[in-house]
Amino acid sequence: MTDMTTAKSAERHIICEVRGQAAHRARVEELLLELVGPARAEAGCLYYDLYRQSDEPDTFYIVDGWASPEAVAEHTEHPNVTKVVEQLLPLLAVPLKVTTSKRVSDPD
C-alpha cells in the first residue's frame, strides 16, 4: 500500500491524451469513463478526471494525480486499467500520449 504521508515532491501528475477515431467517439468516451470510479478508489490516487477537448470532440484527456511513483505503478497494473486499455487501443486514431510530471512549486 502507498504511504499517504509522502511529500508533495513525491507526487506524480499525469496527462494522458486519448484521440479516438470519429466513428468510435461514443465508445471511447464510455470506456474512459469506466476508468474514473475504480481509479479514484485506488490507494494513492489524489484525483482522476476525464475531459474532452472543446474544439476536437474525438480528443480526450485523463488528468490524474498520484501520491508517489509507486502509486502510479500500481495503477498501471490495475486489472481495470488493463481491461479498458485492451478494448480502447483498436478504437484510437493515434497511440496514447502519456505525460508524467512532478511538482516543483511548493514541494513539501
Side-chain angles (χ1 to χ4, degrees), residues 42-59:
E42 289 180 49
C45 182
L46 303 173
Y47 58 89
Y48 197 98
D49 299 303
L50 177 64
Y51 299 88
R52 176 185 289 127
Q53 187 168 325
S54 298
D55 59 349
E56 289 186 32
D58 299 320
T59 301

Side-chain angles (χ1 to χ4, degrees), residues 16-88:
C16 178
E17 182 178 316
V18 181
R19 295 170 112 201
Q21 298 171 24
H24 299 294
R25 180 185 306 153
R27 181 65 178 142
V28 168
E29 181 176 348
E30 180 181 286
L31 285 167
L32 293 173
L33 285 168
E34 288 181 19
L35 293 170
V36 177
R40 288 177 176 171
E42 289 180 49
C45 182
L46 303 173
Y47 58 89
Y48 197 98
D49 299 303
L50 177 64
Y51 299 88
R52 176 185 289 127
Q53 187 168 325
S54 298
D55 59 349
E56 289 186 32
D58 299 320
T59 301
F60 298 86
Y61 296 94
I62 299 169
V63 180
D64 50 319
W66 300 89
S68 66
E70 294 79 17
V72 173
E74 290 172 13
H75 170 66
T76 60
E77 298 298 322
H78 192 282
N80 188 58
V81 172
T82 56
K83 176 189 77 145
V84 169
V85 169
E86 182 179 281
Q87 295 174 67
L88 187 64

